[in-house]
C-alpha cells in the first residue's frame, strides 16, 4: 500500500490575502514536492481540508490505517513533515508511537480518524 500525504493548496493559514497572492498551503505543497518524498509516500494536492483557521494543513492516510490531520504548518516544516510521513508509512496501523513522531506532529495534530471498515 501507499501512504498519501494530502496537502491543502487553497489554505490561507488564517491570513487575509489578495485573490492572486500565493497561498501558504500552495507554498507548503511546492516545498514538499520539491523535496524527495519518502519511500511509499505520494504527495497529493487537495483543495480543502476544512482546517482553515488552523492551516496550512496536511493529512496522512492509507487504507486500513488511522488518518491524521495536522495544522499550523509552513514550508519550513518540510523535513519534519516528510519524516513524520515516513514513520506513518512504516507503521502497520498508522499509530506511530508518540515519542517517535516529529515534535510538530506531537503538538499540531488536529484530528485522528479511525480506519474505514471494509467488507471483505
Amino acid at each position: 500500500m501507499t501512504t498519501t500525504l494530502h496537502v491543502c493548496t487553497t489554505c490561507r493559514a488564517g491570513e487575509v490575502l489578495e485573490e492572486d497572492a500565493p497561498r501558504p498551503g500552495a507554498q507548503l505543497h511546492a516545498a514538499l514536492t520539491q523535496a524527495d518524498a519518502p519511500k511509499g509516500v505520494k504527495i497529493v494536492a487537495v483543495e480543502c481540508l476544512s482546517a482553515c483557521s488552523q492551516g496550512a494543513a496536511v493529512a496522512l492516510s492509507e487504507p486500513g490505517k488511522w488518518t491524521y490531520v495536522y495544522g499550523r504548518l509552513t514550508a519550513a516544516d518540510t523535513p519534519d513533515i516528510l519524516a513524520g510521513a515516513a514513520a506513518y508509512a512504516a507503521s502497520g496501523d498508522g499509530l506511530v508511537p508518540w515519542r517517535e513522531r516529529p515534535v510538530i506532529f506531537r503538538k499540531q495534530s488536529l484530528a485522528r480518524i479511525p480506519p474505514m471498515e471494509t467488507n471483505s
Side-chain angles (χ1 to χ4, degrees):
M1 292 274 169
T2 299
T3 291
T4 302
L5 174 60
H6 307 272
V7 185
C8 178
T9 59
T10 56
C11 188
R12 297 174 184 234
E15 298 175 19
V16 177
L17 300 171
E18 298 294 326
E19 278 307 308
D20 59 347
R23 302 289 186 261
Q27 293 170 330
L28 176 58
H29 179 260
L32 289 165
T33 56
Q34 289 170 6
D36 290 328
K39 182 180 179 183
V41 176
K42 68 178 177 178
I43 300 169
V44 176
V46 295
E47 288 198 11
C48 187
L49 289 172
S50 262
C52 303
S53 66
Q54 299 293 316
V58 301
L60 284 167
S61 66
E62 184 175 322
K65 290 186 176 184
W66 285 80
T67 295
Y68 282 84
V69 180
Y70 299 99
R72 301 179 302 281
L73 303 170
T74 69
D77 296 317
T78 294
D80 287 334
I81 294 167
L82 295 176
Y88 178 90
S91 73
D93 55 7
L95 300 174
V96 177
W98 191 80
R99 292 201 184 279
E100 294 176 22
R101 298 176 197 168
V103 172
I104 61 166
F105 279 11
R106 291 184 218 162
K107 295 185 176 192
Q108 293 166 211
S109 178
L110 303 180
R112 184 174 96 161
I113 303 160
M116 290 185 62
E117 293 182 26
T118 58
N119 295 330
S120 3

